[in-house]
Amino acid sequence: MVAGTHQPASSTKTPERAGDTIVGPPASARMAGRRAIVLVGSSVALLVAFLLNVGVGAVSISPIQVVGILLSHAGIQTDIAFTQQQDAVLWAIRLPRVTLGLMVGGGLAISGAALQGVFRNPLAEPGLVGVTSGAAVGAIGMILLGISPFGLLTIPMAAFVGGAIATGVVYLLARQGGRTEVVTLILTGIAINAIAGAATGYLTFLASDQQLRSIVFWSLGSLGGSTWPAVRSIAPFFIIGVLLMLRLSASLNVLVLGESEARHLGVNTERVRIGVIAIAAMLSGASVAVAGIVGFIGLVVPHLIRLIAGPDHRLLVPVSAIGGAALLMMADLVARTIVIPTELPLGVVTATIGGPFFLWLLHRTRRAQGGWG
Amino acid sequence: MLARPLRLMRSLLVLILIVTFVAACGGDDDDSTAAATATSPAAAEATSAPTEPPAEPTETATPEPPEATATTPPASPTTAPTATVEPTVEPTAASGQSLPVTVTDADGVEVTVTDTSRIVVLSGDVAEIVWAVGLGDSVVGTDISATYPEGAAALQNIGYQRTLAAEGILSLDPTLIIGGAAAGPPEVIEQLRATGVPVVIIADATGLDGVGSRIRSVAEALGVAPVGDELATTVDGEIADALALAETAESEPTVLFLYVRGTSTQMIGGIGTTADILIDAAGGIDAGSAANIQGYQPLTAESLVTANPDVLLLLTAGLESIGGVDGLMQIPGVAETPAGQNGNVLDFDDLYLLSMGPRTGQVLHDLILGLHPELGQ
């Protein structure tokens, strides 16, 4: 069912040829070919998800009409026929929604992949290390204050700050002697999430009817409020975050070897770690701010990609971003079409798919190598 | 060698079981989370309203002591209670509709309406006004809260006004979208505006004097301002008559408005709620406001006993959702109040009581007779 089943799905495993996976191209042509296949395959999946998403819905638009509408917005008139209604739906509703889905899914998945690498722990994900609940506190606090000193960027900024603080606290508390113990990390994450949950609960208690409705709508996760301004507010965070994460991805391979080995190889482990955590907090914080809490993408996608693409972070990190974007788009397609005319919260869909999948993954990995650390 | 496929089969089976289980529980889980986080009637309504059948517009005063019987027969929808304006059969011929018309809506957005041939109405209270000013036949979509008149109840195809999805609405190809201030989420309203379809949001009434202006705003946006004027004048007259009747009452009962949706959502209404406005106008004391409750707050046994109401006022669908008066008495604290001891419970249809529209004068009249049984004799 899965290619490369001989590859254990774990980032804790030392790469077989540690020497040549650190820097430079892979030694064998086979590897290079596989890289290309994985990259092309995931990009095709993303394209398919994009076309399905812009075409399917209460108003149907054929791929050729999609092209026609997009060209007409670029100022090129074609003789492809489309109605004013299709144009409005595509341009004002679906395109911002798909773009936002791409960024949220890609951002969460790439954060998950990098965090799993940096914590050397397959359970690390934005939710577990506190960034999601911290971002929630920041964003809800800002909704309650009702002020916007930074205009459109206010809520994403607040979410980012909240997420960064929570993640920083988890990191500092869970770290000991240069490494993060799995159990300590999980327990610290749980504790910080509980505290953030209490803060969220308290803020919810203070909220007015109107604020409460936006909080409820928002805490289940949704791309329903996608507008171009929302896309613009998250785009800089996303683009900068992904580029930086890609730059750091080669160093993640070295971190897997362990703290001292990495230092001998000339990698500043502490800087890589802090960098990854900060970028993950930024990406997830911005995602939470525009789409609410969408679970499981950050946890499941990197594992899924690891099954297909192997443990090399230089491939894992970018492909996770592409795969996460595609998966989230598909989940959103389900969310908005399964109960027309209303919509299901996105978080419900991702958890329904992600939960069982993760259980299966757990089962499989235990069979393959007797469990995870 | 045989072990592998067997194991695979087993894990597949487990997976299927899990998926089915999750799917089976999904709805419940979803509801309970929503209910757990929902601490306002509005939010809770969003989760439960869609599952409820549209309530029959009835206002059965539920009198325990026979002398407390409200004497007016329930106004049934068939008696077309909306005053003098007979809904015209051909809305295009509606008393000189003049389009295009430019209005500034409650959000301060300037909207130009050029065509009312396909109207989507986002909420029940506004739908009632649209029908009353004679444009019901042009409506192609309403939300789940539109239970009156029958034409509006028959459509109900865009979901619930607080959890709207833009695409479902646009697929009806509307030429005008009109709704109340509760319509949302706000982002969806923004999306609808971004598509270029005229969107008109009508302000909520903050008092009985706002009912007429709500009717006028809707009529104006539909290009039938004169009709709105006439209807508003009639409704204002009915409200004034009701207020005059309330003046003659000798009793001043303390009334508590309970907003319940099953056992998960139970709130008491207070300052600033529509129920507060109506109870006040009907010559009662709003117990929630007297207890200094802002808007809606969770119902507790303590708060009930502190409010000490003579009468409990509920929505019919809400009362049904907890199993009628018997179920109401099971709520801790209810039986200890004077209202509980005397069985003084009034219930009105959701939209009839709270819509602040064409039937507000009538519902006020009914409420006055319910609160002051001596007037009916």
Side-chain angles (χ1 to χ4, degrees), chain A residues 204 212 215-217 219-221 293 345 347-348 351, chain B residues 25-40 43-44 46-48 264-265:
Chain A
T204 307
L212 198 74
I215 293 170
V216 169
F217 173 75
S219 60
L220 291 167
I293 296 168
V348 173
Chain B
C25 304
D28 299 346
D29 280 0
D30 191 358
D31 251 346
S32 60
T33 4
T37 46
T39 44
S40 87
T47 58
S48 50
S264 55
T265 308

Side-chain angles (χ1 to χ4, degrees), chain A residues 38-117:
Chain A
V38 169
L39 273 170
V40 168
S42 57
S43 305
V44 168
L46 184 64
L47 186 69
V48 169
F50 173 84
L51 285 175
L52 276 173
N53 257 283
V54 291
V56 178
V59 178
S60 68
I61 308 169
S62 71
I64 188 78
Q65 284 172 318
V66 170
V67 173
I69 294 167
L70 293 182
L71 284 175
S72 83
H73 276 278
I76 305 161
Q77 291 311 321
T78 55
D79 46 11
I80 302 164
F82 55 85
T83 63
Q84 177 56 43
Q85 181 206 34
Q86 286 173 320
D87 184 353
V89 167
L90 181 73
W91 191 255
I93 292 172
R94 279 192 206 156
L95 219 50
R97 187 166 186 151
V98 170
T99 315
L100 210 64
L102 182 141
M103 293 194 291
V104 168
L108 289 173
I110 203 171
S111 302
L115 285 170
Q116 286 169 14

Side-chain angles (χ1 to χ4, degrees), chain A residues 316-329:
Chain A
L316 177 67
V317 171
V319 176
S320 286
I322 298 170
L327 198 70
L328 192 81
M329 279 186 196

Side-chain angles (χ1 to χ4, degrees), chain A residues 57-59 85 88-89 92-94 204 209 212-213 216-217 224-227 336 341-343 348 352 356 359-360 363 367, chain B residues 7 11 15 18-19 22 37 39-40 42 157-160 162-163 165-168 170-171 173 185 187-188 191 194-195 296:
Chain A
V59 178
Q85 181 206 34
V89 167
I93 292 172
R94 279 192 206 156
T204 307
D209 273 8
L212 198 74
R213 277 197 289 277
V216 169
F217 173 75
S226 313
T227 51
R336 68 185 173 84
T342 52
E343 289 179 6
V348 173
T352 308
L359 285 172
W360 169 79
H363 181 73
R367 271 216 337 263
Chain B
R7 272 210 299 263
S11 50
L15 184 69
I18 290 166
V19 170
V22 169
T37 46
T39 44
S40 87
N157 55 359
I158 61 162
Y160 178 61
R162 297 184 198 277
T163 55
E167 264 205 48
L170 291 169
S171 66
D173 221 354
E187 294 86 2
V188 171
Q191 287 176 338
T195 63
Y296 289 99

Side-chain angles (χ1 to χ4, degrees), chain B residues 92 97 99 115-119 137-140 173 175-176:
Chain B
T92 40
Q97 188 184 24
L99 293 171
D115 177 1
T116 58
S117 61
R118 297 183 66 79
I119 307 170
D137 289 355
S138 306
V139 176
V140 292
D173 221 354
T175 57
L176 168 65

Side-chain angles (χ1 to χ4, degrees), chain B residues 269-367:
Chain B
I271 300 167
T273 59
T274 304
D276 173 24
I277 296 167
L278 291 170
I279 290 166
D280 228 33
I285 298 168
D286 180 51
S289 301
N292 206 13
I293 284 162
Q294 284 287 346
Y296 289 99
Q297 294 205 345
L299 180 154
T300 61
E302 295 281 326
S303 61
L304 269 172
V305 175
T306 313
N308 201 31
D310 303 317
V311 181
L312 292 174
L313 175 64
L314 288 92
L315 300 174
T316 309
L319 187 60
E320 282 167 4
S321 74
I322 50 171
V325 177
D326 294 344
L328 180 63
M329 294 303 159
Q330 301 302 311
I331 295 176
V334 170
E336 283 68 45
T337 63
Q341 282 153 5
N342 305 321
N344 274 338
V345 180
L346 290 174
D347 70 289
F348 291 90
D349 171 71
D350 304 33
L351 202 55
Y352 186 54
L353 184 68
L354 301 178
S355 70
M356 287 297 210
R359 293 182 295 163
T360 297
Q362 294 161 39
V363 78
L364 188 58
H365 181 266
D366 289 350
L367 182 64

Side-chain angles (χ1 to χ4, degrees), chain B residues 199-225:
Chain B
V199 179
V200 178
I201 298 297
I202 304 296
D204 283 342
T206 49
L208 287 170
D209 49 357
V211 175
S213 74
R214 265 166 65 80
I215 294 171
R216 285 189 180 92
S217 310
V218 173
E220 205 182 327
L222 299 174
V224 289

Side-chain angles (χ1 to χ4, degrees), chain B residues 237-247 281-282 360-362 364-366 368:
Chain B
E238 288 173 356
I239 292 172
D241 291 349
L243 290 174
L245 175 66
E247 286 299 314
T360 297
Q362 294 161 39
L364 188 58
H365 181 266
D366 289 350
I368 291 163

